Amino acid sequence: MKLKLEYLAGCGAFTACCFRTPFYGKEVSSLELMCGNGAAVREPQSLLLVCRGLIPDDGERLNEWLNERKAQEAAGLLVDLSGESEERISKLAEACRERELVFGTAETAGFTALINDYSHLIASRTDGAVKSYDRVLEDLQRRFYTSGTDSLLEGLSYWTGCQAALIVGQDTFVKPSVPVLNEAVFYPAYWKKEPRKSGLSHVSCYSSSFSDNMLLQAELFKNRLPFGVLCLLGDEDVFEPSDDILLNYASILCTGIDDYKRRSRRIEAAVEMICGGQMPDSSVMELFPESGYALVLCDQEAGEPAEGKKEYLSYLIHHYFPQKLCYSFSAEGSLRLFVSAEDVDHFARRLLAILDGAGKRCRVGVSRHYPASQAVTAFFEAESAAHIAGLLEYGERICYYHDLGIYRLLNYPENSWPINQMLGEMDELLNQMDEEKRDVLAMTIRTFVKCRFHYQKTADKLYTHVNTIRYRIKLIEDLWDVDLSSDEGRLLFSVLAKLLPLWRKSGCYSGTMPREGE
């Protein structure tokens, strides 16, 4: 790790050194002790600790000695010139200044302290600031216990120069928040563990052909069980040994946040209970916004989501919608949210656009606005809107429950409302007929209603003789014991005919509905 000299000069034992030249913006890669004649510089940008009597006195030999150090790319010199005249020290400083070598004085007795302090220093890869390891670890601890996970991640990012991410349950925290994390981060199958020496068993380095970044990851454990991950994202070969130490220490601090996992599970269980028609207790409902809209998003394309997909979608939701909302994924993969939003249409359209970009194309059902205490009703409305929109091949991808009109009567076959019972009875009676007759009668009643119970218009529409239509309608009236010349009978069949496409698609109707005109 390279340390900026201007910061190094203000740390620990280095404060006792007297620097007599500018720092020239140089970074130090190591300290090298010179206690013999003419030792070669082993590493470029080293700061040489030169014992007494090793620097030549006369001008020509001194110039050769300094030129050799310059050619070896030394960053500068810290020389023990105890007892030397100020004139000699000034001449040495001037000679170093001409070669842009940093020059300072220190006593040989202090070299051990300098080397010891240097081995315990770490530099921020954000601005180059230098501190000892114990001071940096104290800083991370202070951040976590006084300001929480966001501050901890900010500190981790500051010292490592990498993007830091904490993933626990449905919660993902990232600092800095931009750029947006690559989707590959959430798919374990995309990553290959790299052979890398580290004394920390829980810290591993990964690479992926799906990402330009490398991943340095520490698993989080509670009672020996993993509950999340803390990771750094950086370019190839960017990680330093110090990153392993800082990441490991931060992961130990994070063992106290498994309540995020519990919170996620409580929300998931609460939404599952609500969608099953029961309200959770008030302590759980405190996790929800006071009021809002229920949204249910269903995949328009069937298929099993890959491992990591839910975690990635959760991250996107938290990244783009940091306001208070609650969500969970059903066992079937639908996304269910309860969100407080002033403009729910804007929220829904933005959410769909984000999910589109993640390869998840959905339709969404939206409830009316309710207090959280009526979440059961809200989620019933949202699920009904999403379900019916799918059956109707609804033109819009956003379906509002309040826009369903007559279709709000149907949630077939999930409940036993009278209208659904009638559809079930219709199904039972029609299934007693052969397939051709069943399909023809179904098509006739739909067209008869659409033509406002006008026999001749129905016959024209179906390219059938009007007497045939009269015969079919009489058959339907006898079959269901209804008079289609009465207002009551016409109202009933107006509703049933309107709901017929949903009834057919729900899977209870076994026939093949002919198109009008066939």
Side-chain angles (χ1 to χ4, degrees):
M1 176 182 293
K2 293 183 178 180
L3 306 179
K4 283 189 175 181
L5 256 171
E6 61 183 294
Y7 293 119
L8 183 62
C11 293
F14 288 90
T15 58
C17 302
C18 180
F19 289 92
R20 295 173 177 264
T21 62
F23 296 110
Y24 305 114
K26 289 190 175 185
E27 296 180 333
V28 175
S29 60
S30 66
L31 299 185
E32 292 192 20
L33 180 63
M34 292 186 67
C35 53
N37 289 327
V41 177
R42 291 186 294 271
E43 186 175 344
Q45 299 306 310
S46 294
L47 182 62
L48 307 181
L49 306 181
V50 186
C51 296
R52 286 186 67 182
L54 293 184
I55 296 184
D57 291 331
D58 63 80
E60 187 174 341
R61 288 180 58 218
L62 175 61
N63 287 333
E64 289 178 3
W65 192 89
L66 291 176
N67 289 338
E68 188 178 348
R69 303 290 87 76
K70 177 69 175 179
Q72 293 171 342
E73 299 183 37
L77 315 170
L78 272 177
V79 186
D80 184 354
L81 294 174
S82 303
E84 297 282 355
S85 66
E86 184 63 32
E87 181 181 359
R88 169 151 163 78
I89 296 174
S90 297
K91 284 182 178 180
L92 276 173
E94 181 59 32
C96 289
R97 200 176 292 116
E98 290 172 359
R99 294 165 177 79
E100 290 193 354
L101 287 170
V102 177
F103 174 77
T105 57
E107 293 185 2
T108 302
F111 285 177
T112 301
L114 292 176
I115 294 171
N116 183 65
D117 281 5
Y118 184 86
S119 66
H120 291 85
L121 292 176
I122 182 174
S124 164
R125 296 210 295 282
T126 300
D127 60 11
V130 176
K131 282 186 180 180
S132 61
Y133 270 106
D134 56 349
R135 293 287 301 280
V136 173
L137 298 182
E138 285 176 7
D139 175 61
L140 294 180
Q141 186 181 66
R142 177 189 56 79
R143 286 172 174 272
F144 179 74
Y145 287 117
T146 61
S147 303
T149 53
D150 279 348
S151 184
L152 174 66
L153 294 177
E154 286 171 354
L156 201 55
S157 175
Y158 170 76
W159 287 105
T160 63
C162 300
Q163 200 170 15
L166 172 66
I167 304 171
V168 180
Q170 65 171 229
D171 295 294
T172 299
F173 307 89
V174 183
K175 293 294 179 181
S177 58
V178 291
V180 176
L181 293 186
N182 187 306
E183 182 177 357
V185 171
F186 297 87
Y187 293 83
Y190 289 178
W191 294 88
K192 180 183 72 173
K193 191 172 182 178
E194 292 293 323
R196 184 169 177 269
K197 291 183 179 180
S198 173
L200 304 167
S201 59
H202 297 314
V203 178
S204 303
C205 187
Y206 297 88
S207 64
S208 172
S209 58
F210 295 90
S211 173
D212 295 331
N213 288 329
M214 299 285 286
L215 193 69
L216 191 65
Q217 178 176 297
E219 286 195 76
L220 307 180
F221 290 87
K222 186 74 171 184
N223 298 325
R224 298 184 180 180
L225 296 175
F227 69 89
V229 294
L230 180 65
C231 55
L232 298 174
L233 292 95
D235 297 330
E236 188 174 359
D237 299 326
V238 73
F239 298 125
E240 299 276 356
S242 59
D243 296 336
D244 294 50
I245 297 171
L246 298 185
L247 185 65
N248 184 66
Y249 184 74
S251 71
I252 294 171
L253 292 174
C254 288
T255 56
I257 62 167
D258 65 320
D259 56 332
Y260 282 121
K261 186 77 171 179
R262 291 197 299 270
R263 176 181 175 275
S264 297
R265 288 174 177 165
R266 290 177 72 197
I267 291 174
E268 289 173 0
V271 173
E272 196 66 36
M273 182 181 291
I274 289 168
C275 290
Q278 294 181 297
M279 280 295 293
D281 59 54
S282 58
S283 64
V284 177
M285 292 309 296
E286 289 177 357
L287 300 173
F288 286 67
E290 290 184 3
S291 64
Y293 300 87
L295 285 79
V296 173
L297 290 88
C298 300
D299 266 317
Q300 289 185 308
E301 299 172 2
E304 284 291 321
E307 183 184 358
K309 189 72 173 181
K310 291 180 180 178
E311 288 79 3
Y312 177 56
L313 296 178
S314 295
Y315 159 64
L316 291 178
I317 291 170
H318 276 279
H319 178 78
Y320 289 104
F321 305 107
Q323 73 268 35
K324 189 177 182 184
L325 54 81
C326 288
Y327 66 90
S328 74
F329 292 89
S330 70
E332 297 76 27
S334 62
L335 174 59
R336 303 178 294 200
L337 306 95
F338 191 77
V339 56
S340 177
E342 292 184 6
D343 187 346
V344 71
D345 185 73
H346 175 74
F347 175 90
R349 293 187 186 281
R350 190 176 176 211
L351 179 59
L352 286 177
I354 291 166
L355 296 182
D356 284 351
K360 185 177 176 71
R361 187 167 178 82
C362 302
R363 63 177 177 275
V364 55
V366 184
S367 74
R368 292 170 291 185
H369 190 272
Y370 286 100
S373 59
Q374 297 184 44
V376 170
T377 303
F379 276 102
F380 168 79
E381 291 186 358
E383 286 193 336
S384 296
H387 175 65
I388 294 173
L391 294 177
L392 284 176
E393 297 179 3
Y394 199 69
E396 289 285 333
R397 291 173 62 194
I398 303 175
C399 180
Y400 295 92
Y401 184 78
H402 62 74
D403 287 341
L404 287 177
I406 194 69
Y407 295 111
R408 283 161 56 180
L409 291 173
L410 185 74
N411 189 33
Y412 191 78
E414 280 77 11
N415 63 52
S416 58
W417 290 355
I419 190 69
N420 296 327
Q421 292 176 349
M422 291 179 188
L423 286 172
E425 292 167 3
M426 179 183 286
D427 177 44
E428 184 179 350
L429 291 170
L430 284 177
N431 280 331
Q432 294 174 6
M433 304 177 182
D434 62 73
E435 183 177 339
E436 182 180 359
K437 189 172 185 179
R438 181 172 64 232
D439 292 345
V440 167
L441 286 180
M443 189 73 255
T444 299
I445 190 59
R446 285 188 64 204
T447 309
F448 190 54
V449 170
K450 185 180 286 188
C451 293
R452 300 180 183 275
F453 304 95
H454 195 286
Y455 287 93
Q456 187 59 56
K457 288 182 179 179
T458 304
D460 294 342
K461 194 79 170 175
L462 297 178
Y463 302 101
T464 306
H465 194 280
V466 66
N467 288 341
T468 302
I469 298 300
R470 293 183 185 277
Y471 168 76
R472 294 178 187 171
I473 296 302
K474 183 66 169 69
L475 193 61
I476 291 169
E477 288 178 322
D478 291 342
L479 192 63
W480 281 289
D481 191 23
V482 66
D483 179 8
L484 289 180
S485 64
S486 69
D487 291 340
E488 181 181 344
R490 290 187 173 187
L491 176 61
L492 174 63
F493 267 75
S494 294
V495 173
L496 292 176
K498 191 77 173 175
L499 300 177
L500 200 56
L502 277 73
W503 161 60
R504 177 183 57 161
K505 289 188 177 183
S506 67
C508 292
Y509 180 70
S510 57
T512 302
M513 187 70 70
R515 298 179 182 177
E516 295 180 8
E518 294 184 343

